Amino acid sequence: MSSIENEGRDGFSSRFGIICAAAGSAIGLGNIWRFPYIVGESGGGAFLLIYLGFILLLGIPVMLSEFVIGRRAQRNALGSFKRLAPGKPWYLVGVMGIVAAFMILAFYSTIAGWTLEYIVKSLTNSFSGKSPDQIALMFDNFHTQALWPLVWQLVFMFMTAWIIVSGVKKGIEKYAKVLMPFLVILLIIMAVRSLTLPGAGEGLAFLFRPDFSAIDSNVLLAALGQAFFSLSIGMGTLITYGSYIRKDNKLGNIAVEVSVADTLIALLAGVAIFPAVFAFQVDPAGGPGLIFNVLPGIFQQMPGGYFFGVIFFILLAIAALTSSISILEVIVAYLTEELSMTRRKATVMATSAAAFVGMFCTLSFGALEGFTISGLHVFDLLDFTASNLLLPLGGLMIVLFVGWYMKGVDVKDEITNGGVVRARFTGALRFILRFVAPVAIAVVLFDSLGII
Ligand code: PHE
């Protein structure tokens, strides 16, 4: 099959635009909120090594595969499979991705809402003079109530929807372009302060000294889920974005650059947070509240901390926004292209549905805490199901699709832009896609589920 022309679809206008948008999708709460607390729950250094291994061996190949599928098919996550494999059940991978997108949007907006509250708390100087214990208490009082966490969640959902309605180029590209470098600079400043706190060494040791006795099948699954979540892979986000990439951009380079940037930022967040976790004697395995208990304390200990705190939480909310729009875009692109809805109607419907489910996630830290299914409340249940099960399963199907179903020449054609670009890694890549990645993902996934 010769490659499909662009057909006048909306798309990214420049290489810089797509890098920013894909990195904007990848870099978000996954790096700064989720990564530290999962590392903390998973015992530190050994988890980190495995995580890095998964990024390299599985993450980059899956990301590249999604770009290949999306750019070749010029369609949304579901439509791409229909187009490349007409009449075959492969489109179910897209269905799964859309389900995962709803789930992730639902719980992601809970945490994004918390960051909005923390912008206000920082602005009003609420942390001033508070001890780590008092800061932890403030977080407890906030996130277990109903009203404000829900209000902020809906505000965040509304902002996400508003950007999506304004279209691909004008929306995503514009917002993603300028702001992420500032986040990096701020994280570096915070890391320096955190590293110079008394007792910081213990945190570094926790993060970087591997203790392999802490590894079991649950930790492996957590590392796999975190790698997929953080890179935005396994549910078609990057199939959708891939379909907007111009035909002369190099997919391999984009995949590597985005993955490296995402991983460096997670590491930076780890270095900023763990020394402070130990200096303030916070429990590293304390769960999703970790950064909200620790970060205000770091700003308290910094000259200009008020200023840095306000800016940081604003940037974090924006990073969350450039990720949440990429999640919503999966659903909206599907609804507009496959069901011929207008962009506005698709956005309103998808956002309302995700917000409805999302409210249960938010309330599961307070009013609905006792409502659990197999020991997990709604938030944890959705996070676990989407991040640790659906994304890896989606990733598995994606590498099988590109490795086994698509023709080798077509894959190569897409990666080399029709033979224009030299890509010496295609042989190794094909081996990874056909054998290494499917086996590794399947073993980790099915082992932790007790299937093998
Ligand atoms: N990668 C995003 C983050 O780290 C979250 C995300 C997951 C986005 C899945 C899209 C798809 O915050």
Side-chain angles (χ1 to χ4, degrees):
M1 186 173 75
S2 73
S3 66
I4 297 159
E5 287 309 314
N6 183 282
E7 302 168 351
R9 293 168 82 242
D10 204 357
F12 295 114
S13 55
S14 67
R15 174 181 149 77
F16 186 63
I18 170 62
I19 293 270
C20 289
S25 169
I27 297 160
L29 296 172
N31 310 59
I32 290 161
W33 156 73
R34 200 174 188 278
F35 175 76
Y37 103 75
I38 299 290
V39 173
E41 283 183 342
S42 307
F47 171 93
L48 181 63
L49 272 186
I50 294 167
Y51 172 77
L52 294 175
F54 283 169
I55 295 277
L56 208 66
L57 200 71
L58 309 175
I60 296 175
V62 173
M63 187 182 288
L64 181 54
S65 299
E66 290 203 24
F67 286 154
V68 165
I69 294 171
R71 193 174 67 173
R72 192 148 193 93
Q74 294 291 308
R75 276 285 179 281
N76 58 85
L78 193 146
S80 284
F81 286 103
K82 279 199 177 157
R83 200 163 209 192
L84 296 181
K88 301 264 168 36
W90 282 105
Y91 72 89
L92 292 171
V93 182
V95 174
M96 209 167 70
I98 287 160
V99 172
F102 270 113
M103 291 180 157
I104 294 178
L105 204 53
F107 74 80
Y108 204 82
S109 55
T110 297
I111 309 297
W114 294 358
T115 68
L116 296 181
E117 166 79 12
Y118 270 59
I119 295 176
V120 174
K121 277 196 173 18
S122 307
L123 268 174
T124 53
N125 215 2
S126 312
F127 303 114
S128 172
K130 298 275 192 318
S131 69
D133 284 347
Q134 288 170 318
I135 288 171
L137 190 65
M138 282 173 79
F139 174 68
D140 252 8
N141 288 339
F142 161 68
H143 89 299
T144 53
Q145 52 163 302
L147 180 63
W148 283 102
L150 284 179
V151 169
W152 288 127
Q153 172 174 47
L154 296 179
V155 169
F156 182 81
M157 279 290 200
F158 180 81
M159 295 196 291
T160 305
W162 181 69
I163 296 173
I164 284 294
V165 171
S166 67
V168 176
K169 251 194 216 121
K170 278 187 261 120
I172 300 171
E173 206 168 322
K174 192 167 97 194
Y175 290 87
K177 251 177 194 173
V178 275
L179 289 158
M180 289 307 105
F182 289 105
L183 186 66
V184 174
I185 294 169
L186 219 59
L187 275 173
I188 293 174
I189 297 173
M190 288 158 67
V192 170
R193 174 66 266 218
S194 185
L195 284 168
T196 48
L197 288 169
E202 220 184 317
L204 273 190
F206 178 82
L207 187 58
F208 290 116
R209 194 176 298 150
D211 165 16
F212 287 101
S213 67
I215 298 298
D216 59 21
S217 57
N218 291 328
V219 170
L220 290 177
L221 184 67
L224 188 67
Q226 176 59 25
F228 278 55
F229 185 88
S230 192
L231 294 179
S232 305
I233 54 177
M235 55 171 250
T237 306
L238 298 181
I239 294 180
T240 310
Y241 275 22
S243 76
Y244 305 136
I245 301 179
R246 278 183 9 184
K247 290 284 183 189
D248 59 350
N249 287 150
K250 300 174 191 167
L251 300 182
N253 295 27
I254 297 175
V256 171
E257 281 161 36
V258 170
S259 301
V260 168
D262 184 71
T263 306
L264 287 180
I265 291 188
L267 285 172
L268 206 51
V271 175
I273 284 158
F274 280 102
V277 166
F278 284 83
F280 301 152
Q281 299 178 340
V282 174
D283 176 12
L290 189 64
I291 66 161
F292 297 94
N293 289 327
V294 173
L295 292 178
I298 301 181
F299 297 124
Q300 281 302 296
Q301 306 278 331
M302 269 163 89
Y306 170 81
F307 177 73
F308 285 121
V310 172
I311 308 273
F312 177 82
F313 283 112
I314 291 176
L315 289 176
L316 183 57
I318 292 170
L321 209 48
T322 58
S323 300
S324 65
I325 57 180
S326 76
I327 306 171
L328 183 56
E329 178 68 18
V330 171
I331 309 169
V332 169
Y334 161 70
L335 292 175
T336 51
E337 290 182 359
E338 304 301 310
L339 304 183
S340 307
M341 273 185 204
T342 63
R343 211 170 155 83
R344 180 177 295 269
K345 184 174 173 201
T347 305
V348 171
M349 281 186 56
T351 309
S352 311
F356 180 73
V357 182
M359 291 167 76
F360 290 90
C361 294
T362 298
L363 292 176
S364 65
F365 291 97
L368 295 180
E369 202 178 10
F371 179 72
T372 59
I373 299 170
S374 61
L376 300 176
H377 58 56
V378 180
F379 181 96
D380 285 339
L381 189 71
L382 288 195
D383 187 359
F384 181 85
T385 309
S387 312
N388 291 5
L389 303 182
L390 294 182
L391 297 188
L393 196 57
L396 174 62
M397 302 313 289
I398 285 164
V399 288
L400 289 176
F401 185 78
V402 175
W404 293 94
Y405 181 81
M406 283 180 77
K407 285 205 203 82
V409 285
D410 287 346
V411 176
K412 193 165 180 182
D413 180 68
E414 205 54 51
I415 290 174
T416 59
N417 297 346
V420 176
V421 192
R422 285 236 308 253
R424 259 168 284 155
F425 58 86
T426 42
L429 179 73
R430 193 152 176 82
F431 182 74
I432 290 180
L433 290 180
R434 294 181 79 127
F435 303 103
V436 181
V439 171
I441 298 172
V443 167
V444 174
L445 192 57
F446 298 138
D447 176 50
S448 64
L449 296 178
I451 295 173
I452 52 172

